[in-house]
Each structure stands twice: as C-alpha cells, then as structure tokens.
C-alpha cells in the first residue's frame, strides 16, 4: 500500500482545509507515546485510523496509515498509506494485530460505526479520546470562547458509548502535563499566551472552524487580560500545577 492507495473516502474532510502546517505544531509527546506503545502490547502489524501525520505510531511495527484527507497523508512520513474513511476500512476481518485511533474519532462521520470497524479488522484496539462529560472545563472555553462547548459536545459521543462500541476492557486517564508538546487545544492550559499565535489556533480544529467574528474578539480579550495580569491573578492556583486531568482517556480493547 502506498501514497496513491485510495478507497473513496467521500466528501473532502475538514483537514483538507485546515491541515496545512499541522505537523509543525502537533509534535508527539513522549509521555503519551509511551502510554500508547504499552497499550499496543508489542503488536507487529498496526492500522492507524485517522492517522494524520503519523504521531504516536510505533517505530517497531508494520503500520498502515488510514486517513480521508490527502493534505494530512501528504505530511505523513510512512510508506504504507491508504486514503479511506473510518466507517469503511478496506481490509479483511482480523487483518491486523492492533488498530489505533488518536484524537480523531470526533471527526468521523459515524463514530460508532468506525469503532465497530476497528473491532472488525484488529484483535486489539486503542482509542485516545476525550470524555465530554468530564469536569473541569478548560478555561479558554468557559471564559473566552464558549462557542467551543457546543461544538465539542456535538461531535464527541459519551465515553461509555465509545467504550461499548469498541469492546473496551480498560480505561486509562491521561492528565495533560503543563509542557505537553502535542499542541491540541488543551495542551496550553498553563501557557495562555500560545492561544495568541494564529499558527497554534490553526492546528486546533475548534478554533480553525470558528468564524473570525468569534475568534478575533476572544483573542483580543485574552491578550488584554494577559497584559493587565488579570489572567494570572484569576488562575494563580492553576499555575502551581504540573498536570491537570481534563478528561482525556486511553481506551483499550481486545487481546
């Protein structure tokens, strides 16, 4: 399988529009990488569904990267790449030792069907995702961009539904370290100035999909609060912490 392989993923996915330059901001974090590697249990053949640029793929396994976005696959360094939807994986039953999906299920058109596909093609399944019912909520949502809340709750299925769909037997919490290197939205919970950077916001699917009429004023308010010191006064306790559990979970299923 190579870069030209395609299984007809359907309409152009969101990352065909917002994925340019993604790899520069979204650098895999070694702590999450170690957790995922342990969860894969030494699998020799792995399919990475919603692979994006290939973060967290095990270096010692034969990996097939699957993504519906040509823009993302073009940034993926691997040799085995297939353009396809999670809802219709072009592989035989039990084709892989393991399947992995990292921060992607909320972009799938039919998440529960996609998880059933993982279950069909692999004996072991790993899903790194977010629990929409978890609290606390990231401050940037509650204080600056509440529009993100409705967007996230609309696209993330409850954790219990995802666990059932993939047959998960283990759920591992992953508190986000303050110096987390993978620049998704919650990575900057203790580095508020990063949200002022357009490149950082462009690598976050929520910010990237919101209109400028929403994001512009929110960023201006944050900038003013940072310059005045109000943000730091409001979050003095948060600044003393090394990690916070914002609801990210690794689900493990199968053998």
């Amino acid at each position: 399988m190579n870069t030209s392989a395609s299984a007809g993923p359907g309409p152009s996915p969101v990352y065909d529009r917002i994925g340019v330059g993604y790899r520069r901001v979204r650098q895999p974090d070694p702590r999450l990488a170690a957790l995922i590697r342990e969860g894969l249990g030494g699998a020799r053949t792995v399919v990475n569904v919603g692979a994006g640029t290939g973060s967290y793929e095990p270096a010692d396994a034969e990996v097939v990267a699957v993504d519906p976005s040509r823009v993302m696959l073009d940034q993926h360094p691997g040799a085995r790449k297939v353009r396809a939807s999670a809802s219709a994986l072009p592989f035989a039953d039990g084709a892989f030792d393991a399947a992995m999906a990292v921060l992607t299920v909320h972009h799938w058109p039919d998440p529960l069907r996609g998880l059933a596909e993982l279950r069909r093609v692999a004996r072991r399944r790993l899903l790194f995702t977010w629990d929409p019912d978890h609290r606390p909520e990231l401050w940037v949502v509650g204080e600056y961009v509440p529009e993100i809340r409705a967007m996230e709750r609309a696209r993330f299925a409850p954790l219990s539904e995802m666990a059932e769909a993939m047959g998960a037997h283990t759920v591992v919490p992953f508190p986000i370290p303050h110096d987390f290197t993978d620049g998704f939205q919650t990575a900057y919970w203790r580095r508020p100035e990063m949200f002022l950077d357009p490149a950082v916001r462009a690598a976050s699917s929520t910010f990237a999909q919101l209109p400028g009429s929403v994001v512009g004023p929110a960023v201006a308010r944050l900038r003013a609060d940072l310059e005045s010191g109000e943000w730091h006064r409001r979050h003095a306790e948060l600044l003393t912490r090394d990690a916070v559990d914002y609801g990210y979970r690794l689900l493990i299923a199968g053998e």
Side-chain angles (χ1 to χ4, degrees):
M1 282 165 280
N2 54 40
T3 54
S4 64
S6 175
S12 177
V14 64
Y15 277 97
D16 274 356
R17 293 184 284 106
I18 71 173
V20 177
Y22 179 94
R23 196 176 181 191
R24 291 194 300 273
V25 176
R26 301 294 297 272
Q27 295 292 321
D29 187 274
R31 291 154 291 194
L32 179 55
L35 185 67
I36 291 172
R37 184 168 59 250
E38 180 181 357
L40 287 170
R44 295 197 307 170
T45 59
V46 177
V47 58
N48 186 10
V49 180
T53 61
S55 296
Y56 306 109
E57 293 178 354
D60 57 350
E62 180 181 310
V63 180
V64 175
V66 175
D67 202 284
S69 168
R70 173 59 62 197
V71 169
M72 298 306 287
L73 286 180
D74 284 348
Q75 298 177 74
H76 190 292
R80 300 178 177 90
K81 298 184 276 191
V82 175
R83 188 167 176 245
S85 168
S87 300
L89 297 177
F91 309 114
D93 295 357
F96 300 92
D97 293 337
M100 59 185 286
V102 178
L103 290 179
T104 177
V105 69
H106 54 293
H107 295 300
W108 298 355
D110 188 340
L112 299 185
R113 182 177 174 185
L115 292 174
E117 279 288 270
L118 297 192
R119 196 169 184 170
R120 180 183 65 80
V121 304
R123 292 179 289 281
R124 188 171 182 87
R125 286 86 61 193
L126 269 73
L127 174 69
F128 185 65
T129 188
W130 176 69
D131 179 0
D133 295 322
H134 184 85
R135 294 296 177 270
E137 181 179 65
L138 181 66
W139 55 263
V140 77
V141 177
E143 298 172 16
Y144 297 96
V145 198
E147 292 83 357
I148 289 176
R149 186 183 300 121
M151 180 185 294
E152 296 284 53
R153 293 194 69 85
R155 62 185 189 165
F156 276 93
L159 194 71
S160 59
E161 290 186 15
M162 291 190 280
E164 182 179 358
M166 66 180 293
H169 54 68
T170 302
V171 179
V172 183
F174 184 77
I176 303 298
H178 73 93
D179 56 352
F180 195 64
T181 63
D182 191 345
F184 61 81
Q185 184 173 279
T186 312
Y188 303 117
W189 61 267
R190 215 181 85 173
R191 292 171 284 169
E193 67 283 354
M194 297 301 292
F195 288 108
L196 305 181
D197 186 340
V200 166
R201 298 196 304 272
S204 167
S205 62
T206 48
F207 274 101
Q209 293 182 82
L210 286 169
S213 60
V214 169
V215 175
V219 170
R221 290 195 301 274
L222 175 58
R223 187 186 303 276
D225 285 351
L226 290 172
E227 291 174 352
S228 70
E230 174 59 27
W231 187 94
H232 292 82
R233 286 190 292 272
R234 196 159 61 235
H235 296 289
E237 188 277 333
L238 195 65
L239 292 170
T240 67
R241 303 179 67 176
D242 291 328
V244 177
D245 183 357
Y246 280 110
Y248 289 87
R249 300 290 183 265
L250 181 69
L251 279 62
I252 305 173
E255 303 171 2

